[in-house]
């Protein structure tokens, strides 16, 4: 599976979490925050590539949350062999 987070399309934290929950089939109990995202990502058991496009725009839209998101994605890829972050 491959998903692309596009900074031109994601303008709020809520949109980001809705997008990820849908694309990655997170459970209804998904907490819609970065801690919950990390937990769900480390539970994935299928090959999953995550790419971020238009990082500058994502950073403008989400401010420091975009940088925190990238840290969570990076850490999840280290903790879960099924997660690959495309740079």
């Amino acid at each position: 599976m491959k998903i692309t987070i596009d900074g031109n399309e994601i303008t709020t934290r809520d949109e980001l979490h809705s997008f990820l929950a849908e694309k990655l089939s997170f459970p209804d109990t998904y907490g819609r925050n970065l801690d919950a995202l990390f937990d769900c990502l480390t539970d994935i058991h299928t090959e999953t590539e995550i790419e971020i496009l238009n990082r500058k725009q994502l950073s403008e839209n989400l401010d420091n949350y975009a940088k925190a998101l990238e840290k969570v994605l990076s850490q999840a890829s280290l903790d879960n062999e099924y997660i690959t972050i495309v740079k």
Side-chain angles (χ1 to χ4, degrees):
M1 169 188 332
K2 181 175 181 178
I3 68 161
T4 302
I5 301 168
D6 188 339
N8 289 334
E9 296 176 5
I10 303 293
T11 60
T12 67
R13 293 177 185 189
D14 190 51
E15 287 177 355
L16 171 68
H17 288 289
S18 293
F19 172 81
L20 293 171
E22 177 187 339
K23 295 295 183 183
L24 296 171
S25 302
F26 288 165
D28 291 340
T29 57
Y30 172 56
R32 303 175 65 80
N33 60 60
L34 294 176
D35 288 335
L37 174 60
F38 180 81
D39 291 343
C40 286
L41 288 173
T42 55
D43 283 342
I44 289 176
H45 294 13
T46 56
E47 295 291 332
T48 303
E49 288 186 1
I50 302 172
E51 181 176 25
I52 299 176
L53 296 179
N54 302 303
R55 280 181 160 84
K56 183 178 178 184
Q57 186 62 48
L58 187 66
S59 182
E60 288 178 20
N61 294 342
L62 302 181
D63 200 28
N64 291 333
Y65 203 77
K67 186 178 279 189
L69 168 67
E70 290 199 46
K71 286 182 182 179
V72 166
L73 295 176
S74 178
Q75 188 60 50
S77 72
L78 294 174
D79 288 4
N80 184 343
E81 65 186 24
Y82 294 105
I83 303 290
T84 302
I85 308 304
V86 179
K87 303 220 178 202

